[in-house]
Amino acid sequence: MSISAQLGVRDSNEASWTQVMEVMEFMSDATDIPILLDADTGYGNFNNARRLVTKLEQRGVAGACIEDKLFPKTNSLLDGRAQPLADIDEFCAKIKACKGTECFPFFPLGWVLVTHFTCKGGNFLKKLSVVLCRWEYYKIIWFYQLG
């Protein structure tokens, strides 16, 4: 959200990923601490997410957090609107593409990919069950297929 604010746009994918990359480059040049980017939905499909990881690594960014929502996403802090979720297979493809692209040599644990699930508003128990079901799919991809 702070990058959107810096660029004077809303936090709803109005800033292009190339604009975000420019900010990441400035941040990386200014510090030696690991940077974790809030990459929203990965800026498109699995190919966009793969390219994002490559470009982040080139700029020395340690990792990214992606959300399993449809692109472009809406801001989850606004008026309780529904947050449409991405297709499970599509998001699994993003995880595979991101983890398969990484080649970051500078951190002992490698490049970091954090997946983010939304479970707020409405019927909490129903939403929690959806999140847990989706996590089972993502866990299989993350831990068993990608090692």
Side-chain angles (χ1 to χ4, degrees):
M1 187 178 283
S2 62
I3 293 174
S4 298
Q6 176 189 1
L7 296 172
V9 296
R10 296 174 290 191
D11 183 32
S12 57
N13 291 117
E14 289 183 22
S16 70
W17 75 270
T18 54
Q19 289 173 304
V20 172
M21 284 299 111
E22 183 176 18
V23 173
M24 291 292 93
E25 188 167 6
F26 278 107
M27 289 174 67
S28 183
D29 288 347
T31 186
D32 289 330
I33 62 172
I35 298 169
L36 180 68
L37 170 68
D38 176 358
D40 293 330
T41 61
Y43 300 98
N45 67 14
F46 70 95
N47 285 315
N48 300 83
R50 176 186 294 129
R51 184 157 168 76
L52 176 71
V53 169
T54 300
K55 293 302 180 183
L56 288 171
E57 285 189 328
Q58 289 171 357
R59 284 156 180 80
V61 175
C65 176
I66 62 171
E67 302 174 31
D68 67 339
K69 296 179 186 174
L70 290 180
F71 175 81
K73 79 171 192 80
T74 57
N75 186 313
S76 57
L77 301 175
L78 297 177
D79 64 25
R81 281 186 270 176
Q83 299 290 307
L85 298 176
D87 176 76
I88 289 175
D89 291 331
E90 177 188 332
F91 196 70
C92 287
K94 280 186 186 181
I95 293 171
K96 286 181 183 179
C98 290
K99 294 299 287 178
T101 300
E102 66 183 10
C103 60
F104 203 84
F106 306 112
F107 295 100
L109 297 177
W111 203 80
V112 177
L113 177 67
V114 178
T115 54
H116 171 254
F117 314 102
T118 299
C119 182
K120 67 174 214 161
N123 184 335
F124 178 78
L125 292 178
K126 181 178 178 184
K127 289 187 176 191
L128 180 60
S129 69
V130 169
V131 166
L132 293 174
C133 176
R134 294 173 77 85
W135 166 241
E136 287 299 318
Y137 282 95
Y138 305 155
K139 180 174 70 174
I140 289 168
I141 296 296
W142 192 279
F143 293 109
Y144 301 110
Q145 291 185 14
L146 297 174

